[in-house]
């Protein structure tokens, strides 16, 4: 077992089976694996068969996401047999989004593919998934599930809500995906936000398409996701919606709400004064309403101003990161000459 260099602050990975440095792959398959020891040998066998006749060069990055079975030992054995396999490891389970980020940091291909290890999707369909990107027709391709799916009802609700909120012309947001490396560069590293990769890529101006991908019964093991993920998914959906609509201009939301409440408070205050002066009778609930509207409105407005400062700092950080990435690309290009 060899060590993979530290990818970013606070993250350590162990690696095995690094591809030869002389051949840079065109496509990197990112495979999160949690307790998939039974599935990985067959997955790699099918991957080798799928890549044998493909014109592109492929590598497979399997991320052992805190498995408690024999997954890591199986990966070490497979790495000796398959030169295109690279294995990295999380000491504890950190979720698919972190696993994809780790795979991305350890990959070299200009096209990335998210593919699960459970063999519900066959590696033979990967070349068809990346074909629109290779042809220059799309920046990100979502796979549309074909076949029986035990969570079809929940998936249908999720996809319908997502399409109504985000207006993305893709039928299935929660499936396999192929995308240019630049898409991952722009994606925030947030837990479970991999589900909204297509949405956020479209919002950043990347072109989106979809291709049908057959869905098969799981080869071995069991699903890691239950019905308890539904509330988390709904909250993530709202968070992504807020991110896309107001993250760059938070005052647009909080300022409008604050100003509206402040105006309501002023109007109600005028009414309360007139009621007192003309009618000679005070009405305590109106005074309480004035206090509430003015106080909450002021808090909202102040929150918007603070949000604007945070958004400005965030924009500067993104610009700095882009500059660093450009310098890194220039360095890699000069090294490869």
């Amino acid at each position: 077992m060899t060590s993979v260099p530290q990818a970013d602050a606070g993250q350590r990975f162990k690696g095995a089976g690094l591809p030869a440095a002389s051949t840079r792959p065109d496509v990197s398959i990112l495979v999160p694996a949690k307790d998939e020891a039974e599935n990985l040998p067959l997955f790699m066998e099918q991957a080798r068969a799928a890549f044998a006749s493909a014109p592109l060069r492929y590598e497979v990055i399997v991320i052992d996401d805190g498995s408690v079975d024999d997954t890591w030992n199986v990966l070490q054995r497979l790495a000796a047999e398959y030169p295109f396999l690279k294995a990295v490891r999380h000491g504890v389970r950190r979720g698919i989004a972190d696993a994809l980020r780790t795979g991305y940091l350890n990959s070299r291909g200009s096209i990335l593919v998210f593919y699960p290890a459970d063999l519900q999707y066959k590696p033979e369909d990967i070349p068809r998934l990346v074909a629109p990107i290779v042809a220059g027709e799309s920046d990100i391709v979502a796979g549309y599930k074909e076949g029986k799916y035990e969570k079809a009802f929940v998936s249908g609700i999720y996809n319908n809500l997502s399409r109504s909120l985000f207006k993305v012309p893709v039928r299935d947001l929660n499936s396999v995906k192929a995308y240019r490396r630049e898409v991952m560069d722009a994606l925030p590293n947030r837990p479970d936000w991999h589900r909204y990769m297509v949405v956020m890529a479209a919002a950043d101006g990347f072109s989106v398409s979809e291709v049908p991908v057959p869905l098969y019964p799981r080869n071995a093991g069991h699903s890691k996701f239950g019905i308890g993920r539904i509330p988390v998914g709904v909250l993530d959906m709202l968070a992504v919606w807020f991110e896309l609509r107001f993250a760059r201009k938070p005052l647009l939301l909080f300022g409008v709400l604050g100003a509206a409440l402040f105006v309501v408070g002023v109007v109600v205050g005028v009414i309360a004064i007139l009621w007192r002066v003309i009618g000679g009778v005070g009405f305590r609930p109106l005074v309480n309403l004035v206090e509430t509207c003015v106080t909450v409105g002021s808090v909202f407005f102040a929150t918007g101003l603070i949000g604007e400062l945070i958004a400005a700092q965030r924009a500067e950080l993104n610009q700095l990161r882009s500059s660093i990435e450009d310098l890194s690309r220039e360095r890699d290009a000069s090294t490869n000459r």
Side-chain angles (χ1 to χ4, degrees):
M1 179 169 52
T2 58
S3 295
V4 175
Q6 185 171 333
D8 58 2
Q11 294 185 348
R12 285 188 173 179
F13 317 112
K14 299 176 182 178
L18 276 69
S22 59
T23 56
R24 188 181 185 91
D26 303 300
V27 181
S28 297
I29 317 299
L30 311 183
V31 184
K34 173 70 169 71
D35 298 334
E36 300 288 1
E38 296 180 73
N39 290 317
L40 286 169
L42 182 56
F43 182 95
M44 295 307 303
E45 181 181 335
Q46 293 184 4
R48 177 164 57 185
F51 302 157
S53 59
L56 301 176
R57 294 185 296 272
Y58 289 82
E59 69 173 350
V60 177
I61 314 292
V62 180
I63 307 95
D64 178 3
D65 190 32
S67 297
V68 295
D69 66 353
D70 204 35
T71 293
W72 183 243
N73 292 328
V74 169
L75 282 173
Q76 290 180 290
R77 292 196 298 269
L78 292 173
E81 181 179 354
Y82 299 95
F84 57 84
L85 169 63
K86 180 179 181 180
V88 292
R89 188 183 193 185
H90 291 165
V92 295
R93 184 177 181 182
R94 288 163 39 188
I96 293 179
D98 264 4
L100 290 177
R101 175 65 59 172
T102 298
Y104 154 73
L105 293 171
N106 286 274
S107 66
R108 297 183 295 153
S110 59
I111 299 174
L112 306 178
V113 179
F114 162 43
Y115 232 69
D118 56 16
L119 290 173
Q120 286 194 281
Y121 302 94
K122 302 296 185 184
E124 65 191 38
D125 293 311
I126 292 175
R128 190 161 53 86
L129 193 65
V130 304
I133 301 177
V134 175
E137 300 169 357
S138 185
D139 295 317
I140 181 168
V141 180
Y144 176 68
K145 291 189 284 285
E146 286 187 330
K148 292 184 179 180
Y149 183 40
E150 62 182 11
K151 298 188 180 78
F153 178 72
V154 174
S155 181
I157 293 176
Y158 159 78
N159 282 306
N160 286 329
L161 284 174
S162 296
R163 282 196 300 271
S164 63
L165 271 179
F166 304 116
K167 312 300 181 186
V168 177
V170 173
R171 286 173 288 180
D172 196 345
L173 294 171
N174 193 23
S175 181
V176 292
K177 303 171 186 69
Y179 42 95
R180 297 190 186 279
R181 193 175 191 90
E182 294 80 5
V183 172
M184 199 69 175
D185 291 339
L187 188 69
N189 187 20
R190 298 285 301 278
D192 293 327
W193 278 29
H194 65 283
R195 303 175 189 275
Y196 301 97
M197 184 184 299
V198 174
V199 169
M200 305 196 78
D204 280 336
F206 292 102
S207 57
V208 177
S209 62
E210 65 177 0
V211 297
V213 178
L215 185 71
Y216 301 89
R218 178 182 255 273
N219 180 66
H222 59 277
S223 174
K224 313 300 187 298
F225 302 96
I227 196 169
R229 300 296 299 174
I230 294 177
V232 176
V234 173
L235 292 176
D236 284 339
M237 186 182 299
L238 293 175
V240 172
W241 176 81
F242 179 86
E243 168 78 18
L244 296 179
R245 290 292 298 273
F246 302 111
R248 295 179 181 177
K249 293 294 294 180
L251 193 60
L252 187 64
L253 173 64
F254 294 106
V256 170
L257 285 175
L261 285 173
F262 197 87
V263 168
V264 169
V266 171
V267 171
V268 173
V270 171
I271 293 173
I273 291 172
L274 293 176
W275 197 330
R276 179 67 176 177
V277 172
I278 299 174
V281 178
F283 190 53
R284 186 64 186 179
L286 284 181
V287 177
N288 292 336
L289 182 59
V290 171
E291 294 172 344
T292 301
C293 288
V294 171
T295 302
V296 175
S298 300
V299 170
F300 271 137
F301 201 85
T303 301
L305 291 175
I306 295 172
E308 286 288 327
L309 296 176
I310 295 174
Q313 294 293 321
R314 186 180 183 186
E316 290 180 8
L317 286 174
N318 288 336
Q319 186 176 5
L320 180 60
R321 186 179 70 173
S322 298
S323 300
I324 293 173
E325 289 171 351
D326 290 340
L327 290 173
S328 178
R329 292 191 188 99
E330 291 176 4
R331 182 193 62 191
D332 292 342
S334 62
T335 302
N336 293 330
R337 288 191 188 126

